[in-house]
Amino acid sequence: MTLRTGLAPVLAVAVLLVTMAVALGTGAVAVPVPDVLDVVLRRVGLGDRGVSLLDDQIVWQLRMPRVLGMAAVGAVLGCCGAVLQSLTRNDLADPYLLGLSGGAAVGAVTVIVLGVSVAGFAGPAAVTLAGFAGALAALGLVLLLAVGRSGSLAPTRTVLAGVAVGQACSAYTSLIVIGSGDHDAARRVLTWTLGSGAGFRWGTALLVVGVAVVATLAFSACADHLDAFAFGESSARSLGIEVTRLRWVLLGGTALATAAAVAFAGTIGFVGLVVPHLVRTFTGPRHRLLLPMSALVGATLLVWADTLARSVVDGQEIPVGVVTAAVGVPFFALLLRRSGRSA
Amino acid sequence: MTAPSIVVDGVGVTLGGAVVLDAVSLTCRPGRVTGLLGPNGSGKTTLLHTVAGLRRPATGRVLLDDQDVHVLRARERARLLALVEQDASTSLDLRVRQVVDLGRIAHRVRFGPPQSDPGGIDAVERALATARVDHLADRPWHALSGGERQRVHLARALAQEPSVLLLDEPTNHLDLGHQLDFLERVRGLGLTTVAALHDLELAAAYCDDLVVLDRGRLVAHGPVAEVLTPALVAEVYGVRVTVEPHPTQPRPHVRWEGVVR
């Protein structure tokens, strides 16, 4: 089953928009979808059909930043996962491959547990900044280890270096949390590690939306170049690809986009791993369709997961990472069974 | 560019301290098929990759007419030279036409859409037809036989519209009929071609010139009849052969007798 190139993205955008409308109406106070649409239309200046102030506050001020932010994070994770799986020719690659989640956790935990302020910021803003800085520091360390004296960026070495740095980061994180003896801090760290969209405000949501749009367009422009890796590295070279330069640019680009996502929403597992595999089953492996579709499907899935996370249990949020794993694992098992049959 | 000559000028390559190619110099005539012979590990693949621009030599240079291959950008190189590698395969679920289409990447505007290569669709169809795989165009790659895969690789190389064709043991794993058919097809293209081969009989039948490597050194170079002698085969391969005129064909016939003791 292969969908026509033109049809699939249109369908995916439609599904994403419906998902967002439902998500905006779901929560402690339910807002019917038509009212949601009225609020959005009024706010973007496309008609005023009289909305209640309460609905406007809930939909536009409270829920919209979170829904937009999580859609953007899902898009970044889905698209970056697809790029990294192709670039490393490794089906298990995900956006956190290069030690990014571990590094971000080091930064976030340092702020959460030790109460360090960052560049004059304290609280959530400091966690975000420290997470971003930690992710970039880990990335730098991974690249340093991976390149070594070889001067090139071999995929296997890069993956191994990512694992090593990730382990070191997790050792530090555990030590700080256990050493502090503060149970509340331990709980907050765990919550951060499993991800949450609760921190999004309009400003931060638009920032991440910007990152997601730029990243998806930029990576999609490299679609041909990623296709060329189908038969391996020297084949890509002989097809006219500057392999080393492309690898640096794409690894750097995916890392920056992922670091931004992690900094605002924590480490949300499984989206970046599962979404590209899911999308490939109906788009095929060519990147011109795979990359934008991974972004759209990633966005849709994460908005659903986040909506479940904040509405399944009354009056309490479960971490979104728990939802993505609970949905992702059985789904992944299904994909494995299918691919096992065809192989 | 019409088929250029290839000049390999004093090319030396070292890998991890070992000398893999030692000051190799040779010329491949334009539009002719040059067979690259030598035992396993003699440096055939390294030489092909160096000519293809994939590996930068420590010393020396490779010229296509007057153009230094290693000065060109990867995209420009891909429009001049195409390489068919040994046993290149993929785990991705690609169709034959999509594999052949990979050859057009270097013809598109960089980071541009397929529409930026107006001749692309025709070039792919021509390449499919020339390599005689047009009837397979919509088949999945993983459903092809070894012989079909090799012809699809040839089609992909032809879609690059190159002037030079480099083939690394293209007839490996092919049955005799497919071997003859493949080389016949390549000969008919009129491109400057270099093919690494193991089979001396095939080399004698389909090549104009031969190049023989042994442990990274050039040991012989010239027209088939001059290069393919019992003394050379005994020295390089350690095999006793007789070389005599073929009973029905205008080419030498190689018959092996045994290992040199």
Side-chain angles (χ1 to χ4, degrees), chain A residues 98-107 128-144 165 169 251-263:
Chain A
L98 304 179
L100 290 171
S101 56
V106 165
T128 298
L129 284 174
F132 190 71
L136 291 192
L139 169 71
L141 201 58
V142 167
L143 293 181
L144 210 65
V165 170
C169 289
L251 281 179
T254 53
L256 278 176
T258 307
V262 172

Side-chain angles (χ1 to χ4, degrees), chain B residues 86-106:
Chain B
Q86 246 184 90
D87 301 329
S89 192
T90 182
S91 58
L92 298 180
D93 185 20
L94 288 167
R95 314 232 151 218
V96 166
R97 193 190 305 278
Q98 296 173 331
V99 172
V100 175
D101 187 55
L102 292 175
R104 298 306 296 178
I105 292 173

Side-chain angles (χ1 to χ4, degrees), chain A residues 224 230 234-235 238 240 285-286, chain B residues 74 85 90 93 101 105 108 160:
Chain A
D224 274 352
S234 58
S235 156
S238 77
R286 296 231 282 184
Chain B
E85 287 187 284
T90 182
D93 185 20
D101 187 55
I105 292 173
R108 287 177 198 148
Q160 290 175 243

Side-chain angles (χ1 to χ4, degrees), chain A residues 2-268:
Chain A
T2 306
L3 286 176
R4 295 273 304 280
T5 312
L7 187 64
V10 174
L11 213 61
V13 168
V15 172
L16 175 59
L17 291 178
V18 171
T19 298
M20 289 174 72
V22 173
L24 287 170
T26 308
V29 178
V31 181
V33 169
D35 295 357
V36 169
L37 294 182
D38 287 343
V39 168
V40 175
L41 288 179
R42 192 179 75 89
R43 280 290 188 164
V44 297
L46 287 173
D48 189 349
R49 312 218 301 161
V51 298
S52 80
L53 194 61
L54 183 67
D55 282 355
D56 183 74
Q57 280 298 308
I58 290 174
V59 170
W60 192 259
Q61 294 299 348
L62 241 51
R63 291 185 190 154
M64 187 60 111
R66 177 165 185 165
V67 168
L68 279 179
M70 289 308 257
V73 168
V76 165
L77 294 179
C79 194
C80 290
V83 170
L84 286 168
Q85 283 170 9
S86 301
L87 208 56
T88 59
R89 297 186 96 199
N90 184 343
D91 285 347
L92 283 176
D94 79 359
Y96 308 125
L97 188 71
L98 304 179
L100 290 171
S101 56
V106 165
V109 164
T110 307
V111 171
I112 293 173
V113 178
L114 304 180
V116 181
S117 67
V118 181
F121 291 96
V127 174
T128 298
L129 284 174
F132 190 71
L136 291 192
L139 169 71
L141 201 58
V142 167
L143 293 181
L144 210 65
L145 275 176
V147 172
R149 273 181 298 179
S150 68
S152 72
L153 205 56
T156 316
R157 282 172 61 95
T158 312
V159 173
L160 289 176
V163 171
V165 170
Q167 289 293 329
C169 289
S170 108
Y172 166 89
T173 312
S174 307
L175 181 69
I176 295 289
V177 171
I178 290 175
S180 79
D182 177 347
H183 287 294
D184 184 51
R187 195 186 55 76
R188 276 187 295 152
V189 165
L190 186 63
T191 308
W192 184 89
T193 321
L194 289 168
S196 166
F200 278 113
R201 302 292 174 265
W202 265 108
T204 51
L206 289 181
L207 182 67
V208 183
V209 167
V211 169
V213 170
V214 170
T216 304
L217 292 179
F219 296 148
S220 298
C222 300
D224 274 352
H225 297 220
L226 285 163
D227 284 346
F229 278 83
F231 288 87
E233 184 181 327
S234 58
S235 156
R237 252 182 240 281
S238 77
L239 291 171
I241 309 301
E242 308 267 7
V243 169
T244 306
R245 198 171 62 190
L246 183 74
R247 221 176 242 156
W248 277 102
V249 168
L250 288 180
L251 281 179
T254 53
L256 278 176
T258 307
V262 172
F264 289 108
T267 47
I268 300 167

Side-chain angles (χ1 to χ4, degrees), chain B:
Chain B
M1 191 188 273
T2 51
S5 63
I6 305 172
V7 177
V8 175
D9 178 17
V11 162
V13 173
T14 50
L15 276 176
V19 177
V20 184
L21 287 179
D22 188 3
V24 171
S25 293
L26 57 94
T27 305
C28 301
R29 292 189 287 162
R32 301 302 178 93
V33 178
T34 302
L36 189 51
L37 301 181
N40 294 331
S42 56
K44 299 191 295 292
T45 298
T46 307
L47 181 58
L48 279 178
H49 280 197
T50 309
V51 172
L54 304 187
R55 182 181 295 291
R56 196 169 278 281
T59 61
R61 57 197 182 138
V62 177
L63 303 176
L64 301 185
D65 286 343
D66 300 324
Q67 181 68 253
D68 188 329
V69 165
H70 293 94
V71 171
L72 291 170
R73 305 178 69 89
R75 290 163 54 78
E76 298 168 321
R77 223 162 32 219
R79 291 190 294 233
L80 283 176
L81 298 135
L83 170 68
V84 173
E85 287 187 284
Q86 246 184 90
D87 301 329
S89 192
T90 182
S91 58
L92 298 180
D93 185 20
L94 288 167
R95 314 232 151 218
V96 166
R97 193 190 305 278
Q98 296 173 331
V99 172
V100 175
D101 187 55
L102 292 175
R104 298 306 296 178
I105 292 173
H107 288 268
R108 287 177 198 148
V109 171
R110 198 191 312 245
F111 305 119
Q115 291 83 336
S116 64
D117 168 32
I121 294 175
D122 286 346
V124 167
E125 293 306 321
R126 269 200 309 279
L128 284 164
T130 309
R132 251 194 17 195
V133 286
D134 35 354
H135 61 294
L136 302 174
D138 296 312
R139 292 259 195 98
W141 164 265
H142 62 77
L144 302 182
S145 73
E148 291 167 338
R149 286 183 183 194
Q150 209 55 20
R151 293 215 305 271
V152 171
H153 275 309
L154 179 64
R156 190 265 305 147
L158 295 179
Q160 290 175 243
E161 301 187 301
S163 316
V164 174
L165 190 59
L166 306 170
L167 308 167
D168 196 357
E169 297 185 16
T171 52
N172 264 7
H173 310 305
L174 301 194
D175 61 52
L176 186 60
H178 280 118
Q179 293 187 10
L180 302 187
D181 178 72
F182 187 92
L183 292 175
E184 189 86 44
R185 214 151 280 285
V186 165
R187 255 200 91 76
L189 296 171
L191 302 174
T192 308
T193 304
V194 185
L197 293 169
H198 268 311
D199 190 308
L200 303 181
E201 189 78 30
L202 281 181
Y206 290 101
C207 299
D208 299 298
D209 300 325
L210 293 179
V211 167
V212 184
L213 291 178
D214 188 17
R215 281 161 289 178
R217 289 168 196 275
L218 182 80
V219 290
H221 174 211
V224 173
E226 290 173 25
V227 171
L228 206 56
T229 61
L232 179 107
V233 176
E235 183 199 324
V236 174
Y237 287 92
V239 174
R240 271 185 293 121
V241 296
T242 52
V243 180
E244 48 199 40
H246 194 284
T248 61
Q249 299 294 318
R251 57 179 162 88
H253 171 50
V254 185
R255 203 163 53 188
W256 59 265
E257 307 197 326
V259 175
V260 177
R261 298 284 171 204

